[in-house]
Amino acid sequence: MTTSALPPRSRCLFAVLLILITAISAPAVHAAVKPSRARAIDFDEKIIFRSPENPGFAAWVQLWAEPNGDLGTKFLLRRQPAPGERIERKPLDVHRYEAVGLPAKYDFASLITETVFMRSRDSGATWTETLRGTENELNQSADSGCMSPITLADGRMLSLSWGMPGCLRESTDRGRTWRRLHDLMDPAFYDVAPFTIRLLADQKTLVIFCPYARSWGKGKLVAGRLHHRPGTRAAWQAALFFSTDFGKTLTGPIPIFPNVPVTESDFCELPTGDLLFIQNEMFAGGTAHRQLIRNTKRGWVPEEMEPVDKLAPEIFVRTNEGYLVGASRNAPYVWSEDDGLTWQAVEDIKSGQYQPRALLLKDNRILFLWHKGGDLPYGQADMYIGQHTFKLQVVDPRPRSQLKLARVFDEKAQKYICAFDATLTTTDGNPISNKSIEFSIVARGAAGYEPFGGATPWVHGSKQTITTDATGVARAIYTDQSAVTDIHQTYQLAARFDPQREDPAYLPATSLTIEYYAVTPTGEAK
């Protein structure tokens, strides 16, 4: 396949991550780092906020760009009450706590929890605090009431409440107060954890990425957040909502990532107007995926989901050159030159930190904000807000190739024969000659044959390698199939260029898998 077209919690008492609690404090697991052809230049690291307490708690950062070019961020600050500062603490509802499914020490009611807003007018060189308030003062759940904020041209802000329950919210005073705009689903049936809201390049289309599951709690479909049917995977399903009137009305949900327990994902808008989603393995049952959502004349349509490299990040941006650059918590920065199919480590740079957020700046530098630490209770580690900025420099950039596989039609015999042409070209159609093409084939019923799609013939099939001619064509002929008499005998065939990624001039390409009958009818002569 070519890749050129590839997209109010219950009060402060329960202020913790909705989904990741099963991995609390555990380091993320990542694949071995591959050799890379890209490095970070003009790298800079700075701490933008640190609590005066030690250990302090500043975490769960958000990042966005204002219409005027300023940058905004917000995060949580948890601290001990100052002398004379009082907290009205309600008794702990142990039944609610059990239903939420949290470990001990995630009761933060004895602490002051504040939301801090900051602004940068110089692309992250300096940051100034603009707003700070507690849950009640900001009229929001302090931990989740301002998830993935964006600022519209008229000054309004939109954000998501992440869960318990999740919703779309609006502020007309730059985040000081919020009002609820929409529930995203019927809470009688579904619980939602909306993760990202983003305004597309047309400056009118809003996209909300919203995982959902069966509603839980007293009187709901399941009693607890972590409950599920025996033998099933986590009940979470990802979906998209769209709005073309800045959140007044919504269309959706459109489910994506089918049968994968996705709770957090990131996406970019491609020049075609399509959306490319990348799903890190940590939030998808141990396998990373990507999926293209096409922007068609008749609406948004998800294409097939496919597995990708295990290094696929949890957050990423697309540079002006078309490279993807991303990060995962406490892991090396990575980049992709093929729309997220494969990923490599970025050289000459420190690893990122926890729960990163990213923006591409106007000068093509990439800004990552994060917090030092992890998903930890107060007092376990010194947690602060920091940032990394850098440019991606790619050594010997390689253009993309594409590989199309077609069965040969014998004009004289007026029938399709058991021969196939693999045509290797650049993405603009120029032939690529003198390159080795690997053909892999598997017969129906043999190991590796997949009757309902998903076959990868090169894993178990027989192979042959043929070189492209001056027109970029390599032809594979299967003469033994001419003796086949069983009209039901089929084969699955695919072709690949540079599967080991060793060619210095072009990026690899893989054809579609063709399934075909060896015995074909003869047409009428023309």
Side-chain angles (χ1 to χ4, degrees), residues 282-323:
M282 179 168 48
F283 306 106
T287 301
H289 300 88
R290 70 174 179 177
Q291 188 170 16
L292 181 72
I293 314 301
R294 285 206 184 275
N295 186 4
T296 76
K297 293 180 180 179
R298 295 186 181 275
W300 297 89
V301 181
E303 289 210 346
E304 69 272 15
M305 176 185 69
E306 60 181 325
V308 299
D309 195 304
K310 291 175 68 66
L311 285 175
E314 61 179 283
I315 209 85
F316 70 97
V317 296
R318 186 178 187 274
T319 69
N320 295 331
E321 298 85 6
Y323 301 119

Side-chain angles (χ1 to χ4, degrees), residues 15 20 147 162 248 266 280 362 372 379 386 455 487:
L20 302 179
M147 186 77 178
W162 197 9
K248 293 179 181 179
D266 199 15
N280 176 275
K362 292 180 179 180
K372 176 68 174 179
I487 63 171

Side-chain angles (χ1 to χ4, degrees), residues 314-346:
E314 61 179 283
I315 209 85
F316 70 97
V317 296
R318 186 178 187 274
T319 69
N320 295 331
E321 298 85 6
Y323 301 119
L324 306 183
V325 184
S328 299
R329 56 199 69 193
N330 298 338
Y333 289 101
V334 293
W335 72 290
S336 173
E337 56 191 337
D338 55 12
D339 289 332
L341 181 64
T342 60
W343 294 86
Q344 303 172 66
V346 178

Side-chain angles (χ1 to χ4, degrees), residues 52-73:
E53 296 182 344
N54 191 2
F57 187 111
W60 311 121
V61 68
Q62 301 294 320
L63 175 64
W64 67 96
E66 300 278 350
N68 65 357
D70 291 354
L71 305 180
T73 184

Side-chain angles (χ1 to χ4, degrees), residues 161-384:
S161 177
W162 197 9
M164 305 183 193
C167 66
L168 175 64
R169 301 177 124 181
E170 176 189 63
S171 174
T172 57
D173 54 10
R174 307 198 68 81
R176 183 171 296 279
T177 60
W178 296 86
R179 73 179 186 94
R180 191 184 193 92
L181 282 181
H182 296 289
D183 284 326
L184 298 179
M185 291 188 182
D186 188 337
F189 299 102
Y190 301 107
D191 226 38
V192 298
F195 186 71
T196 302
I197 181 171
R198 194 166 292 161
L199 183 64
L200 299 186
D202 62 7
Q203 296 300 304
K204 67 177 183 179
T205 303
L206 287 169
V207 182
I208 299 176
F209 172 77
C210 180
Y212 65 95
R214 289 178 299 158
S215 60
W216 59 271
K218 187 176 182 179
K220 297 296 183 67
L221 296 178
V222 294
R225 179 175 63 93
L226 304 181
H227 297 192
H228 55 85
R229 294 189 182 98
T232 65
R233 302 179 77 183
W236 290 97
Q237 168 68 56
L240 302 179
F241 289 88
F242 296 87
S243 176
T244 56
D245 55 13
F246 303 107
K248 293 179 181 179
T249 60
L250 298 174
T251 59
I254 298 176
I256 64 172
F257 291 122
N259 300 315
V260 177
V262 171
T263 56
E264 298 183 19
S265 185
D266 199 15
F267 71 95
C268 69
E269 183 180 5
L270 299 177
T272 58
D274 302 327
L275 306 179
L276 175 61
F277 279 78
I278 303 293
Q279 178 58 54
N280 176 275
E281 66 172 353
M282 179 168 48
F283 306 106
T287 301
H289 300 88
R290 70 174 179 177
Q291 188 170 16
L292 181 72
I293 314 301
R294 285 206 184 275
N295 186 4
T296 76
K297 293 180 180 179
R298 295 186 181 275
W300 297 89
V301 181
E303 289 210 346
E304 69 272 15
M305 176 185 69
E306 60 181 325
V308 299
D309 195 304
K310 291 175 68 66
L311 285 175
E314 61 179 283
I315 209 85
F316 70 97
V317 296
R318 186 178 187 274
T319 69
N320 295 331
E321 298 85 6
Y323 301 119
L324 306 183
V325 184
S328 299
R329 56 199 69 193
N330 298 338
Y333 289 101
V334 293
W335 72 290
S336 173
E337 56 191 337
D338 55 12
D339 289 332
L341 181 64
T342 60
W343 294 86
Q344 303 172 66
V346 178
E347 296 177 346
D348 300 328
I349 188 174
K350 296 181 178 180
S351 289
Q353 298 292 339
Y354 208 80
Q355 193 76 33
R357 291 295 179 263
L359 275 178
L360 182 68
L361 302 176
K362 292 180 179 180
D363 60 0
N364 213 29
R365 286 184 304 142
I366 306 160
L367 169 65
F368 287 92
L369 259 58
W370 36 262
H371 76 257
K372 176 68 174 179
D375 182 3
L376 303 172
Y378 173 85
Q380 189 166 330
D382 188 30
M383 297 165 61
Y384 54 83

